[in-house]
Amino acid sequence: MGIWARALTHECSCGVKLPLMDKVRGRTSDLIRLPNGKSLSGEYMTTIFDDFPEAIRQFRVHQLADYSLNIWVVPNSDCQNLEAILNKVKEKLSKDVVESFL
């Protein structure tokens, strides 16, 4: 994923003296390819974790050549929902796409 932005040299018309930034452009996300030829936006993966905002601190998804996914999760210390999250991942994605949930 890449983000393109640039600093502006003029002051804000509202009078605030903090540095200004131009519009952010070029934000992209990778695609997750499915065996049936369809693809999902990489941002779709974040929706899987939306129901568990307190449970997961970070996650990482890596797709392998055979279309399977490795999903690494850093749970919060008081996470009680890891099994429920795994079930939701399996529900939203076909079982042959999800290889591991660590």
Side-chain angles (χ1 to χ4, degrees):
M1 177 174 13
I3 297 176
W4 293 86
R6 67 182 175 135
L8 296 175
T9 56
H10 64 274
E11 291 184 3
C12 183
S13 59
C14 72
V16 172
K17 303 294 184 199
L18 297 172
L20 297 177
M21 185 173 80
D22 203 357
K23 293 179 184 175
V24 176
R25 299 180 320 151
R27 185 171 187 171
T28 60
S29 180
D30 291 328
L31 292 176
I32 296 170
R33 308 256 182 230
L34 301 177
N36 64 6
K38 294 182 180 181
S39 59
L40 296 171
S41 165
E43 294 161 354
Y44 171 78
M45 293 303 294
T46 63
T47 66
I48 292 174
F49 299 101
D50 281 350
D51 291 344
F52 310 98
E54 318 82 33
I56 302 300
R57 190 165 14 133
Q58 295 177 326
F59 71 93
R60 176 180 163 202
V61 178
H62 178 84
Q63 185 167 34
L64 304 174
D66 66 355
Y67 299 105
S68 64
L69 298 175
N70 285 325
I71 302 173
W72 292 270
V73 173
V74 178
N76 285 323
S77 59
D78 59 347
C79 176
Q80 309 261 327
N81 298 324
L82 217 43
E83 189 69 30
I85 295 169
L86 175 58
N87 290 335
K88 187 168 183 181
V89 169
K90 286 181 179 179
E91 176 187 313
K92 288 204 171 198
L93 301 171
S94 65
K95 282 187 252 176
D96 58 339
V97 174
V98 177
E99 179 175 338
S100 66
F101 190 88
L102 304 172

